[in-house]
Amino acid sequence: MSQLKTIAGASALFKLMSDIDDKSDRSKAIEQRARFYKLHPGLHFPEDWDKLSDDEKEKRLDMLDKIGLERDGK
């Protein structure tokens, strides 16, 4: 199993477990998911990551989850 697939699985699972109503909790969940991906040496986050909206961050993390989970399933 690739490292990216493992990280994507952990991120997707964290998203599922984070049933979030409150914006501050949503931000924390997004940042936790981002931390999983920041462990991967081949991924680089944009310099303006902290300035992006939570919606945009979540959209990008969701795309990473999708890519990582589909990667080995070719």
Side-chain angles (χ1 to χ4, degrees), residues 2-58:
S2 74
Q3 183 181 13
L4 183 59
K5 186 171 185 170
T6 303
I7 293 169
S11 173
L13 183 61
F14 193 82
K15 181 179 179 179
L16 287 173
M17 292 183 339
S18 301
D19 191 78
I20 300 167
D21 297 73
D22 173 292
K23 263 196 178 278
S24 65
D25 288 341
R26 180 177 181 219
S27 294
K28 289 177 186 177
I30 289 169
E31 288 308 312
Q32 179 60 47
R33 290 177 64 205
R35 277 194 288 273
F36 293 135
Y37 281 108
K38 289 177 181 179
L39 295 173
H40 192 286
L43 292 175
H44 303 282
F45 279 67
E47 290 180 23
D48 66 345
W49 175 259
D50 293 330
K51 295 177 184 172
L52 297 174
S53 68
D54 283 347
D55 288 337
E56 183 62 25
K57 288 179 184 178
E58 190 166 46

